[in-house]
């Protein structure tokens, strides 16, 4: 018995639930049970019936597909020596929205990047509404790892490749360069971009919400490396050509110059050097003039080096037998309203003598005896006035005029190399027809597995006759004597041309040119040397270009192991 009962007091009981309170309770419990049932049903649906939904949504937040950079193909010389290679580098980037506001971390980041803190903060502020910004591109993996080790939120890395050019400025204009994204911008890097670039791959990775790599899952597509490119260039000869050209340009205080050395049998370019040049591995303070491959993209009036080619056309007409003699007295003549001159009064000259004395009057008198434009036609047959077809970006076509009515002065000027424009490459290529028994070989910057089929442009007997005449040009007592190569016979031709400007021909501005073929008994190399605007005491092609030929050709013949064919010995007569 309770205390209340013992006291005679009736115990209190809870009041009965009101009808509305009971109904509310039932409704609430029902709603809770329904909610729990729906939740359980949704869980069953997601995990059993439609389980892919969560997987897809989860993957969308953490799975990423990252590119795998493709290794750019290597460019080599004809013997496999590297001229352009790609090395792995790392680019560090950031999501500005994830970067911390903590100055301590930003100070450490700026120091590791080698940047000013204020500059870094300014860049971050400019990119604050974006999700990507470069911090520093193309670093060595070791340097990049030092930055990543700071573990600054929002800082990430990406693998890339950087182009490196072992030969530096020696062959820069031929190879060209790539930009910061490793895409070809100049030269053969641009011409063969699709071949060298390769195909990037793809890989699937897991990243956290800050973009940091959590796990590397699988390679979706393998990266396909770019193709390698073997050039016709012989790096040994290239170094020699570049060295001797640079010395000559400096000694003669010239604006620049070009050298082209070609294999007489195949048309392959063994060396192609230009001045000025540039270092493709360090382009700070780059002079844009150094970017141009002058030997291929620049043209000039060639002058007297065209006379042997013009003579080949004249001989083939049959109008001029081998014993033809031309009177060049008194050393000048009037044609139309122009006066043409020789350096001196050479009097009576044979055909060979016209080339040996480089007589403008002799060439003009021969040409004016004909009624057909055989000289300009021959020039076009030899590739002048049209693209060489190497595929090099911007290769010059030059110009051979074709007026409806030819004036006597135009015919005459073309025969001694004025009134047309050519590139150094075209000039070297044209002389393959003289060195190769009349067969013209198209130029090639790529290594050929076998000699191409040449085109018979000049009659074999005429080509051999011209080669013999050019052999007489390089003799001890001639203007081209400085082109002699000890132990070897040389066939050559000098040229000295006044430069043109906006007002016509310039005073005291010349180009000195020399074209040489050696050895004459079995031609192996053709070399063109052009020195642009020498400011020293000498400017004639025989004085400034011929010695360059001698040094380059002499070294090249020894490197190529070409047996000597000249019993004469000793140094060339200066």
């Amino acid at each position: 018995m309770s205390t209340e009962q013992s006291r005679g007091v009736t115990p209190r009981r809870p009041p009965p639930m009101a009808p509305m309170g009971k109904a509310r309770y039932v409704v609430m419990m029902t709603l809770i049970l329904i909610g729990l049932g729906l939740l359980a049903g949704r869980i069953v649906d997601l995990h059993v019936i439609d389980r892919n939904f969560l997987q897809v949504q989860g993957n969308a937040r953490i799975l990423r597909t990252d590119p795998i950079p493709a290794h750019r193909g290597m460019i080599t010389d004809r013997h496999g020596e590297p001229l352009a290679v790609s090395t792995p580098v790392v680019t560090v980037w950031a999501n500005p929205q994830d970067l911390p506001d903590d100055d301590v971390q930003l100070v450490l980041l700026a120091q590791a990047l080698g940047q000013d803190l204020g500059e870094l903060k300014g860049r971050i502020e400019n990119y604050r509404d974006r999700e990507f910004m470069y911090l520093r591109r193309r670093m060595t993996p070791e340097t990049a790892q030092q930055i990543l080790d700071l573990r600054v939120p929002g800082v990430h890395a990406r693998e890339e490749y950087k182009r490196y050019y072992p030969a530096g400025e020696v062959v820069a204009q031929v190879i060209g360069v790539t930009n910061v994204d490793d895409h070809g911008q100049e030269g053969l890097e641009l011409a063969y971009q699709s071949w060298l670039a390769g195909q990037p791959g793809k890989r699937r990775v897991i990243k956290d919400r800050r973009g940091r790599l959590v796990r590397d899952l699988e390679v979706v597509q393998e990266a396909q490396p770019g193709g390698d490119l073997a050039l016709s260039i012989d790096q040994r000869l290239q170094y020699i050509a570049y060295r001797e050209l640079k010395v000559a340009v400096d000694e003669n205080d010239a604006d620049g110059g070009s050298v082209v050395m070609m294999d007489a049998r195949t048309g392959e370019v063994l060396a192609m050097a230009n001045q000025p040049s540039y270092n493709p591995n360090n382009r700070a303070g780059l002079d844009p003039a150094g970017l141009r491959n002058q030997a291929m993209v620049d043209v000039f009036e060639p002058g007297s080096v065209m006379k042997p080619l013009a003579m080949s056309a004249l001989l083939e007409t049959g109008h001029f037998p081998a014993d033809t003699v031309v009177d060049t007295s008194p050393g000048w003549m009037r044609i139309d309203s122009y006066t043409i001159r020789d350096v001196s009064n050479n009097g009576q000259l044979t055909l060979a003598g016209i080339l040996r004395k480089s007589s403008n009057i002799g060439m003009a008198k021969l040409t004016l005896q004909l009624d057909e434009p055989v000289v300009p036609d021959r020039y076009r047959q030899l590739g002048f006035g049209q693209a060489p077809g190497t595929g090099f970006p911007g290769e010059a076509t030059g110009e051979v005029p074709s007026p409806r009515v030819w004036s006597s002065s135009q015919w005459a000027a073309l025969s001694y190399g004025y009134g047309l424009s050519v590139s150094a490459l075209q000039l070297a290529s044209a002389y393959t027809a003289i060195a190769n028994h009349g067969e013209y070989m198209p130029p090639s910057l790529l290594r050929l597995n076998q000699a191409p089929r040449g085109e018979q442009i000049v009659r074999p007997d005429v080509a051999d006759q011209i080669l013999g005449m050019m052999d007489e040009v390089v003799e001890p007592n001639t203007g081209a004597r400085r082109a002699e190569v000890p132990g070897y016979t040389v066939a050559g031709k000098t040229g000295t041309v006044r430069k043109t400007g906006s007002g016509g021909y310039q005073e005291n501005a010349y180009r000195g040119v020399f074209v040489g073929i050696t050895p004459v008994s079995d031609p192996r190399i053709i070399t063109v040397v052009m020195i642009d605007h020498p400011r020293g005491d000498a400017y004639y092609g025989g004085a400034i270009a011929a010695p360059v030929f001698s040094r380059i050709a002499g070294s090249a013949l020894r490197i190529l192991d070409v047996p000597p064919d000249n019993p004469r010995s000793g140094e060339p007569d200066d």
Side-chain angles (χ1 to χ4, degrees):
M1 179 179 296
S2 66
T3 305
E4 290 182 348
Q5 289 177 336
S6 65
R7 293 177 181 177
V9 180
T10 303
R12 289 178 295 175
R13 299 178 182 273
M17 183 177 293
M20 286 300 295
K22 186 176 183 179
R24 186 180 297 112
Y25 175 77
V26 172
V27 171
M28 290 298 296
M29 290 300 294
T30 302
L31 291 176
I32 291 172
L33 291 174
I34 291 173
L36 291 173
L38 291 174
L39 182 59
R42 183 57 175 162
I43 292 174
V44 172
D45 179 59
L46 292 176
H47 285 269
V48 179
I49 300 174
D50 192 18
R51 62 183 303 172
N52 288 333
F53 176 79
L54 284 181
Q55 188 70 39
V56 171
Q57 292 299 313
N59 289 345
R61 287 160 174 78
I62 63 173
L63 281 183
R64 297 288 187 271
T65 299
D66 279 357
I68 302 175
H71 188 278
R72 191 174 179 85
M74 183 167 58
I75 300 178
T76 70
D77 82 337
R78 64 186 301 107
H79 301 296
E81 293 296 323
L83 299 176
V85 295
S86 289
T87 57
V89 292
V90 176
T91 286
V92 176
W93 63 277
N95 183 343
Q97 299 176 12
D98 293 337
L99 288 173
D101 295 327
D102 180 10
D103 279 351
V104 174
Q105 288 185 297
L106 291 181
V107 167
L108 293 175
L109 179 60
Q111 290 176 347
L113 291 170
Q115 299 177 7
D116 179 73
L117 177 60
E119 180 184 349
L120 177 61
K121 284 185 173 181
R123 290 185 60 230
I124 294 173
E125 190 60 34
N126 291 336
Y127 284 85
R128 184 62 72 180
D129 58 344
R130 305 181 189 179
E131 296 182 351
F132 181 91
M133 65 175 283
Y134 286 116
L135 292 177
R136 188 173 167 189
R137 299 204 65 179
R138 304 202 298 179
M139 296 181 291
T140 63
E142 295 78 14
T143 304
Q145 191 59 49
Q146 293 176 5
I147 297 173
L148 297 175
D149 287 343
L150 297 175
R151 299 187 180 279
V152 177
V155 176
H156 312 281
R158 184 172 70 187
E159 295 177 357
E160 292 182 327
Y161 286 99
K162 179 181 179 180
R163 208 64 161 162
Y164 174 67
Y165 302 94
E169 64 186 56
V170 173
V171 69
Q173 295 101 338
V174 178
I175 302 298
V177 292
T178 59
N179 62 12
V180 70
D181 294 314
D182 218 21
H183 295 158
Q185 297 294 290
E186 299 282 347
L188 295 177
E189 291 276 32
L190 174 59
Y192 291 91
Q193 165 63 22
S194 59
W195 172 259
L196 292 165
Q199 185 66 39
K202 299 177 182 178
R203 64 179 179 180
R204 187 172 288 115
V205 299
I206 294 177
K207 293 185 177 182
D208 64 13
R209 66 184 184 88
R210 294 185 179 275
R212 293 173 297 194
L213 180 65
V214 175
R215 185 179 176 188
D216 197 334
L217 294 179
E218 61 177 336
V219 174
V220 178
Q221 179 181 325
E222 293 281 359
Q224 300 298 320
D228 293 338
L229 199 64
L231 304 189
S232 59
I233 298 292
D234 187 322
Q235 187 170 228
R236 302 168 300 174
L237 308 185
Q238 181 71 23
Y239 272 107
I240 293 168
Y242 181 81
R243 180 192 66 201
E244 297 300 339
L245 176 65
K246 185 175 177 61
V247 169
V249 168
D250 291 342
E251 286 181 346
N252 292 283
D253 192 19
D255 284 350
S258 296
V259 170
V260 176
M261 181 184 293
M262 184 173 288
D263 188 317
R265 300 172 177 178
T266 66
E268 293 171 290
V269 177
L270 301 177
M272 180 179 286
N274 297 279
Q275 277 290 310
S277 187
Y278 69 100
N279 183 358
N281 298 310
N282 181 8
R283 300 169 213 174
L286 173 67
D287 180 3
L291 286 170
R292 294 198 328 276
N293 185 357
Q294 300 176 55
M296 296 192 68
V297 305
D298 287 0
V299 295
F300 56 93
E301 272 188 319
S304 295
V305 292
M306 300 297 290
K307 288 174 181 173
L309 305 178
M311 183 70 79
S312 72
L314 298 175
L315 291 177
E316 286 192 359
T317 64
H319 288 81
F320 308 106
D323 58 354
T324 298
V325 175
V326 179
D327 185 5
T328 65
S329 299
W332 61 272
M333 65 183 292
R334 293 281 294 180
I335 304 178
D336 297 335
S337 58
Y338 301 94
T339 300
I340 65 172
R341 303 178 184 276
D342 285 342
V343 175
S344 60
N345 181 5
N346 296 305
Q348 303 281 331
L349 291 176
T350 62
L351 298 181
I354 290 174
L355 293 187
R356 188 170 60 253
K357 294 294 185 179
S358 197
S359 172
N360 295 340
I361 294 173
M363 292 299 300
K365 285 189 172 182
L366 291 173
T367 302
L368 294 177
Q369 294 182 44
L370 303 176
D371 297 326
E372 298 294 329
V374 296
V375 171
D377 287 349
R378 172 52 48 86
Y379 290 166
R380 295 190 192 93
Q381 290 172 340
L382 292 173
F384 298 111
Q386 53 198 291
T390 63
F392 192 90
E395 62 179 3
T397 61
E399 183 181 7
V400 178
S402 55
R404 294 181 180 179
V405 179
W406 287 89
S407 68
S408 297
S409 58
Q410 285 176 313
W411 278 33
L414 285 174
S415 71
Y416 53 81
Y418 278 79
L420 76 159
S421 60
V422 307
S423 70
L425 176 69
Q426 287 177 316
L427 198 54
S429 184
Y431 270 92
T432 60
I434 303 301
N436 212 32
H437 305 294
E439 280 193 45
Y440 169 81
M441 296 293 178
S444 176
L445 293 173
L446 303 183
R447 186 188 64 198
L448 303 177
N449 293 324
Q450 59 183 13
R453 182 182 297 275
E455 181 181 0
Q456 195 73 43
I457 300 296
V458 183
R459 279 203 335 249
D461 62 308
V462 171
D464 294 344
Q465 186 178 353
I466 296 295
L467 186 64
M469 291 180 181
M470 292 175 64
D471 186 14
E472 296 181 21
V473 170
V474 185
E475 294 288 341
N477 297 319
T478 66
R481 65 187 183 278
R482 293 179 178 86
E484 287 187 315
V485 177
Y488 297 90
T489 52
V490 175
K493 185 69 190 78
T494 61
T496 306
V497 193
R498 290 179 62 184
K499 295 186 64 173
T500 57
S502 57
Y505 288 105
Q506 302 177 34
E507 290 294 329
N508 300 318
Y510 300 89
R511 286 188 178 93
V513 188
F514 184 83
V515 178
I517 301 171
T518 184
V520 176
S521 60
D522 185 15
R524 288 291 305 277
I525 56 175
I526 300 166
T527 306
V528 172
V529 179
M530 187 276 291
I531 306 297
D532 183 20
H533 195 183
R535 292 178 175 82
D537 295 333
Y539 58 86
Y540 286 106
I544 61 173
V548 181
F549 166 86
S550 176
R551 293 191 292 269
I552 294 174
S555 297
L557 292 171
R558 289 189 291 271
I559 289 174
L560 297 174
D561 200 23
V562 177
D565 69 337
N566 190 350
R568 293 195 303 250
S569 61
E571 296 298 322
D573 182 9
D574 291 328

